[in-house]
Amino acid sequence: MKTGIHPDYRPVVFQDANTGTAFLSRSTARSERTVEWEDGRSYPLVVVDVTSASHPFWTGADRIVDTEGRVEKFERRYGRRVRRGSREG
């Protein structure tokens, strides 16, 4: 790898904005905020909207998807559209 052109890849703490759950990982994400981690060291803190701690799929609170397909729902709402330049034949 060329030196001086890649961002710094370092330990970073990610915190879920909804649940407050935090985890230590490595990233190139930059942040001015820092947090003291369990090991006593200070790491950059990146607050994110969704993590596995709050995402419905991972928490088991996944909503039930109705049996109607997305295409059918779109066509019902907006009508069937004909593409310009499409070949029918």
Side-chain angles (χ1 to χ4, degrees):
M1 291 194 318
K2 289 186 178 181
T3 59
I5 64 169
H6 299 286
D8 188 26
Y9 185 66
R10 64 196 186 293
V12 175
V13 173
F14 290 94
Q15 183 178 25
D16 191 309
N18 296 313
T19 64
T21 305
F23 59 92
L24 181 63
S25 185
R26 295 183 59 84
S27 176
T28 59
R30 298 186 186 274
S31 177
E32 298 297 321
R33 298 171 64 182
T34 60
V35 65
E36 187 171 324
W37 191 244
E38 300 161 355
D39 62 3
R41 293 182 178 175
S42 183
Y43 296 103
L45 174 66
V46 176
V47 179
V48 293
D49 293 331
V50 178
T51 66
S52 60
S54 64
H55 193 281
F57 179 80
W58 298 109
T59 60
D62 197 13
R63 61 186 175 134
I64 299 172
V65 178
D66 58 355
T67 57
E68 184 178 24
R70 292 181 184 200
V71 173
E72 289 80 11
K73 186 175 181 179
F74 178 87
E75 288 177 352
R76 183 173 45 83
R77 184 177 292 169
Y78 300 106
R80 187 170 177 90
R81 306 228 174 174
V82 178
R83 291 177 40 190
R84 291 184 178 176
S86 65
R87 297 180 193 173
E88 294 185 27

